Amino acid sequence: MNEFSNRFEGSFLGANDKISAQAIMECKVCWSPYDPAEGDDYRQVEPGTAFTDLPDDWSCPNCSAPKEQFMVLEDPGSEAATEAAQLDGVTARLVADFREIWHSKMRDVPMVNKLLTVEAVGFRIVDGRPLGVLISPWFMNLIQLPGEDEDWTDLVAGEKELVAFPSGEYEFIHNTREQIGGYKACSLFSPMGEFKSQMQAQEVAAAVMVALFDAGNRAETDRAADIRAAREAELAPERDDPPMLRDAPSRRAVITAGMAEQG
């Protein structure tokens, strides 16, 4: 085995364990791809052969560059791609579920903000579970969904649970829906009248997902009343502010107030 047999030059410092068997590689000399689904007829490599399983002396069929001159073009089997596919599926069901509520029950309720729409923002896998913010015309909630091997259909609606993050512990309420099944929700804003646009709501949701994992935002008190008072003070209009800013919920209101009642 030669010194290059376990390395490729173009990505991840040549670490084979960073690419999956589905990785499509590209020669950085002539840009010819190697797709494991197709193999290499020229060198009689069977379809289904991963790049990492190619013979040590395999070279680019077009320019004869050695294996170490290849870089990752795309990798549908990578951890990031797998995670993205998982999140796309669960967030699509979550959004569909709450859009059905919007159209069937909430559209004509006076408290709703018709400038907003149902949207999932900032979802990522945290401790094996999808976590992110759900925006709707009547609330903004932090949502935790079950992991791939978990079944939350037996969650009891209304039960409360404290979930710990670097910035503190936050109270989540259990619930279930027809499409998404069991989920846990932590209230951030309700109602949503202060928001002037979907973009503004998106920015606040993104700020929440950053602040949640920043230990510097840990509240100095556990008293729910103090936390709520701090948030309401931040949201209160100030006379010197321009009209567009007076009614806008600030990112700092979300961050410094702990985003929800802490236990």
Side-chain angles (χ1 to χ4, degrees):
M1 184 177 293
N2 65 44
E3 63 178 314
F4 297 115
S5 61
N6 287 322
R7 299 187 66 79
F8 56 93
E9 189 172 288
S11 307
F12 306 117
L13 300 177
N16 279 335
D17 60 356
K18 296 295 185 181
I19 63 173
S20 77
Q22 301 175 47
I24 300 174
M25 308 296 287
E26 184 177 63
C27 176
K28 72 173 190 175
V29 177
C30 70
W31 311 117
S32 295
Y34 175 78
D35 186 342
E38 298 177 2
D40 178 9
D41 289 338
Y42 181 74
R43 291 287 304 271
Q44 297 182 337
V45 175
E46 293 291 331
T49 303
F51 180 81
T52 53
D53 292 334
L54 291 171
D56 294 344
D57 62 352
W58 182 88
S59 60
C60 176
N62 186 55
C63 73
S64 300
K67 284 176 65 178
E68 66 268 17
Q69 294 295 315
F70 277 69
M71 57 187 178
V72 178
L73 179 61
E74 60 178 288
D75 189 357
S78 69
E79 183 177 343
T82 301
E83 179 176 306
Q86 178 187 354
L87 289 174
D88 286 346
V90 297
T91 55
R93 293 195 301 274
L94 178 68
V95 169
D97 221 340
F98 280 87
R99 282 182 178 166
E100 191 277 330
I101 297 175
W102 166 243
H103 290 297
S104 65
K105 299 179 180 179
M106 298 299 297
R107 182 181 290 274
D108 297 322
V109 175
M111 64 174 282
V112 302
N113 184 344
K114 294 188 177 181
L115 297 175
L116 305 179
T117 186
V118 178
E119 181 181 3
V121 176
F123 271 80
R124 54 174 154 155
I125 302 296
V126 178
D127 296 330
R129 300 183 179 111
L131 178 81
V133 176
L134 183 66
I135 298 170
S136 82
W138 65 100
F139 70 79
M140 183 188 296
N141 286 352
L142 187 64
I143 300 289
Q144 186 183 59
L145 299 170
E148 286 190 302
D149 298 326
E150 293 182 309
D151 182 2
W152 285 3
T153 56
D154 60 348
L155 289 183
V156 177
E159 281 194 354
K160 298 178 180 179
E161 174 185 353
L162 289 179
V163 180
F165 297 98
S167 58
E169 290 187 330
Y170 300 93
E171 185 179 83
F172 282 71
I173 298 177
H174 295 183
N175 212 332
T176 59
R177 285 289 304 163
E178 183 175 350
Q179 292 190 53
I180 199 63
Y183 68 95
K184 301 172 184 179
C186 173
S187 177
L188 301 175
F189 291 96
S190 182
M192 297 288 283
E194 295 91 347
F195 291 91
K196 301 301 183 182
S197 68
Q198 186 75 10
M199 181 177 294
Q200 186 189 43
Q202 292 168 346
E203 290 177 350
V204 172
V208 167
M209 291 303 294
V210 172
L212 191 64
F213 297 93
D214 184 352
N217 293 321
R218 183 177 288 274
E220 296 179 358
T221 175
D222 289 334
R223 290 179 294 170
D226 288 350
I227 295 168
R228 183 177 295 278
R231 183 168 65 185
E232 291 175 351
E234 288 290 342
L235 291 175
E238 298 182 11
R239 295 182 180 179
D240 294 333
D241 285 342
M244 284 295 291
L245 296 180
R246 281 205 299 264
D247 297 328
S250 68
R251 293 184 185 183
R252 185 168 177 269
V254 179
I255 295 170
T256 60
M259 296 179 289
E261 294 183 11
Q262 297 188 9

